[in-house]
Amino acid sequence: MATRLVLSDAESRRRVEHKTEEGKKEKYFLFYDGETVSGRVVLTLKNPNKRLEHQGIKVEFIGQIELYYDRGNHHEFVSLVKDLARPGEFTQSQTFDFEFTHVEKPYESYTGQNVKLRYFLRATVSRRLNDVVKEMDIVVHTLSTYPELNSSIKMEVGIEDCLHIEFEYNKSKYHLKDVIVGKIYFLLVRIKIKHMEIDIIKRETTGTGPNVYHENDTIAKYEIMDGAPVRGESIPIRLFLAGYELTPTMRDINKKFSVRYYLNLVLIDEEERRYFKQQEVVLWRKGDIVRKSMSHQAAIASQRFEGSSSHGEAKAPGQPADNNGRQ
């Protein structure tokens, strides 16, 4: 017997690329919070003249988090079940319709270094010896509205009597297709700087208590200058985010994991010493031209958007929280 899951709006629903655990990109149907998930389970008998007994047929909609160091222990945050048929038998292929109305999908789909958050449909034909199970993954994007407060970031980097730099970013919260605009001012330069760059660092934190794992990944390197700056010089920054693989900032998702992003300003002198300053920025997903049916979802998303002040100090990966650190 073959089992298929078919979405009722499969022909019109948008599909998006999403990274699998193996690092490949595959296309999945895209859903938003509050949208209905409906379709049908198609059971096809390979041998039409044979009877097939079953102990019941059901379909589930599941949202779960899997931590890679704790495999097999799935943490479900959404679990909906529809019974499609009571125990019995069938002698011909059958189709069962299902509908999960206005399903809450509170978190964004995510495949990371140590954790995976996925949503999927699962059809199960219960049998005495072995169940027939078919799964179908979908992708969920969480949308946000423009944050009400979005102050600029102004910071200083200094090494006494050697170096004094001020830098400014135009905002502290950016949508995934945004442009980071900034300026760097050199107030005092007594060390020979040969290179300067901004890195976008993604930090994935999983686990709790003693079992906390931090995974830092440099998503982008943007060269600001190559060569020695002089006192009084200012250098503009324009960093386009659209070309990079970014997700929205995720804070304490279901008390299992977080994903945060940092802008890391790095200076390298002629003796290969590295000076840095790191600052957290919040990333969020802006909706495209949103269909009317999604207005409910957009309202939910705007209520859920977590505004957060990004003026706190952030230490560099593996370094103490020293403002003017030298690596």
Side-chain angles (χ1 to χ4, degrees), residues 48-225:
N49 303 318
K50 194 176 177 184
R51 289 185 173 189
L52 193 135
E53 283 189 24
H54 63 87
Q55 310 302 309
I57 300 166
K58 66 178 179 181
V59 64
E60 298 163 276
F61 181 83
I62 293 170
Q64 73 179 23
I65 296 169
E66 182 184 356
L67 298 162
Y68 295 162
Y69 61 82
D70 189 19
R71 288 225 184 245
N73 199 357
H74 299 144
H75 307 275
E76 293 186 358
F77 55 87
V78 175
S79 181
L80 305 171
V81 188
K82 299 269 184 196
D83 288 315
L84 302 178
R86 293 177 179 175
E89 60 179 41
F90 50 92
T91 54
Q92 59 187 24
S93 301
Q94 288 199 29
T95 299
F96 300 92
D97 292 329
F98 65 86
E99 181 174 89
F100 295 102
T101 346
H102 304 308
V103 185
E104 186 184 3
K105 311 174 200 72
Y107 311 122
E108 173 129 350
S109 299
Y110 177 72
T111 306
Q113 306 266 19
N114 290 318
V115 63
K116 177 167 68 177
L117 188 151
R118 65 186 279 243
Y119 295 86
F120 60 99
L121 288 161
R122 179 166 62 204
T124 307
V125 181
S126 300
R127 304 196 63 202
R128 281 212 174 97
L129 293 174
N130 55 335
D131 293 349
V132 178
V133 179
K134 181 70 176 177
E135 291 184 356
M136 174 184 175
D137 280 71
I138 65 162
V139 162
V140 169
H141 282 176
T142 55
L143 300 182
S144 303
T145 54
Y146 277 94
E148 288 176 20
L149 294 171
N150 200 353
S151 51
S152 62
I153 298 170
K154 291 182 183 179
M155 298 184 83
E156 294 185 11
V157 178
I159 297 164
E160 199 173 342
D161 297 330
C162 292
L163 181 71
H164 189 185
I165 295 173
E166 283 182 0
F167 62 93
E168 182 178 352
Y169 303 121
N170 62 329
K171 293 186 281 194
S172 51
K173 297 165 187 168
Y174 296 91
H175 63 76
L176 300 183
K177 301 278 193 289
D178 220 333
V179 184
I180 295 173
V181 177
K183 258 191 178 175
I184 294 174
Y185 305 94
F186 292 89
L187 304 176
L188 175 67
V189 186
R190 284 188 182 150
I191 53 175
K192 292 184 177 178
I193 295 168
K194 68 167 188 177
H195 182 79
M196 192 170 180
E197 67 185 32
I198 286 182
D199 302 338
I200 300 175
I201 293 171
K202 177 172 113 176
R203 178 177 298 163
E204 178 187 291
T205 305
T206 47
T208 51
N211 299 318
V212 172
Y213 297 87
H214 296 290
E215 208 57 70
N216 291 312
D217 192 9
T218 302
I219 303 291
K221 282 181 182 286
Y222 174 80
E223 186 179 281
I224 297 168
M225 59 160 220

